[in-house]
Amino acid sequence: MEEGDDRFRGGLNLHLGFNSYSARYYYFMRSFGPVKESTHVLALSRSFPIPGMKFLWGRLGFAPLLETTKLSYSKQEDQAFDTKEAQTNLGFLLGVFMQVTNSGPLSFQIAWESALYPAGLTGGILLATGRKQLFTLSAGMQL
Amino acid sequence: MGRAIGSLILLIFTLPAFADFTLHVGPASSGGGGPNPVSIPPIQVIDYEFIWVTEEKREWSLSIVPGLFYGQRFMLSEGAYVSLGGGLVIDLNGVGPGLYSAFGYDACGSSLCFNVEFRKALGANFRHLMSPYALRVGVTWRTG
């Protein structure tokens, strides 16, 4: 995942699809010192073929976001300053992906997606946005 | 200078290969982190983008961020499209070759369309991966 600063960090993706509709869950976590930051994105989307491109598809949908930041000190005298805060937002998911299936049930997918979020009500009017850019390499099974 | 500009405008009118011309305005995210409101009034050059689409739906897009690209536009429905291609990605962290994808929609009248587009790029220079993007709105003028 990249968040507008050209820095990429790894996470987990789970995909559940039915026909052209899918639910994809992304989880990213990082900790530094007493800070632990977790990012959860649930992308609800519909896939569509790109005309003339055999293996390329597009994906459009919505992406609710939950970000939690937890401050947790190990020393007992500092634990009074422990805090936890959560932020939510609802954005659009726009992406392209390449999917390859073998003769059996296995399928492989590489996806380049962006979850675009308005930066507040007034920020959204002025086209100010935040983005979670998601690169995913996944393997799965068609049931 | 005036004659040169006038000749260029006449060329745009008459060449059938250049079907659509779009002028976009909107903020770009150039790798510095955080959202960027569009400039008010919209006088910053970095907020602007020009797109030239031929009758074959080949497009040239010119902007400071995310960069200079050539690609193909694929129509999904009346107005909605996806574009894919490559070119020169420009970002706060440098300049380098890369790919782009764009999602857009034209709401059209007789010769003018209101257009909204999200364009993102992924590129690399010797030290960095770069991934600028822009959400812009504008007007498309159809010459064809």
Side-chain angles (χ1 to χ4, degrees), chain B residues 75-97:
Chain B
M75 301 305 297
L76 303 175
S77 67
E78 189 65 34
Y81 62 86
V82 172
S83 300
L84 300 169
L88 191 67
V89 179
I90 303 173
D91 191 271
L92 279 180
N93 291 310
V95 178

Side-chain angles (χ1 to χ4, degrees), chain A residues 1-3 7-13 26-31 37-39 133-137:
Chain A
M1 180 178 73
E2 182 270 342
E3 297 175 294
R7 296 181 181 182
F8 297 82
R9 49 194 174 101
L12 171 73
N13 164 248
Y26 300 88
Y27 173 69
F28 303 90
M29 191 272 288
R30 60 180 174 179
S31 63
E37 184 183 276
S38 300
T39 302
Q133 179 170 231
L134 307 161
F135 296 94
T136 313
L137 181 63

Side-chain angles (χ1 to χ4, degrees), chain B residues 81-139:
Chain B
Y81 62 86
V82 172
S83 300
L84 300 169
L88 191 67
V89 179
I90 303 173
D91 191 271
L92 279 180
N93 291 310
V95 178
L99 305 172
Y100 83 92
S101 72
F103 294 80
Y105 184 79
D106 275 323
C108 293
S110 54
S111 61
L112 287 177
C113 305
F114 170 76
N115 179 273
V116 57
E117 185 182 270
F118 170 71
R119 182 174 293 258
K120 60 181 180 181
L122 180 65
N125 60 19
F126 292 110
R127 295 188 299 169
H128 292 285
L129 279 177
M130 303 172 290
S131 52
Y133 75 90
L135 176 65
R136 293 184 168 120
V137 296
V139 175

Side-chain angles (χ1 to χ4, degrees), chain B residues 28-97:
Chain B
S29 176
S30 53
N36 310 294
V38 64
S39 54
I40 299 174
I43 58 174
Q44 289 192 18
V45 178
I46 198 171
D47 287 342
Y48 285 87
E49 179 181 49
F50 298 93
I51 301 177
W52 219 340
V53 182
T54 69
E55 286 185 353
E56 295 79 25
K57 299 299 180 186
R58 306 288 169 88
E59 66 174 31
W60 293 90
S61 61
L62 310 174
S63 62
I64 295 175
V65 177
L68 314 174
F69 301 106
Y70 174 73
Q72 180 70 42
R73 180 172 290 192
F74 304 92
M75 301 305 297
L76 303 175
S77 67
E78 189 65 34
Y81 62 86
V82 172
S83 300
L84 300 169
L88 191 67
V89 179
I90 303 173
D91 191 271
L92 279 180
N93 291 310
V95 178

Side-chain angles (χ1 to χ4, degrees), chain A residues 59-102:
Chain A
R59 184 175 275 142
L60 290 176
F62 296 98
L65 166 72
L66 170 64
E67 280 188 326
T68 61
T69 303
K70 188 176 178 182
L71 204 60
S72 179
Y73 292 97
S74 56
K75 290 184 180 178
Q76 195 170 1
E77 59 265 28
D78 295 330
Q79 288 179 358
F81 300 102
D82 287 359
T83 58
K84 183 178 180 181
E85 56 182 50
Q87 298 178 11
T88 58
N89 205 334
L90 177 63
F92 293 102
L93 184 86
L94 308 105
V96 292
F97 66 95
M98 180 182 293
Q99 182 159 308
V100 178
T101 56
N102 67 354

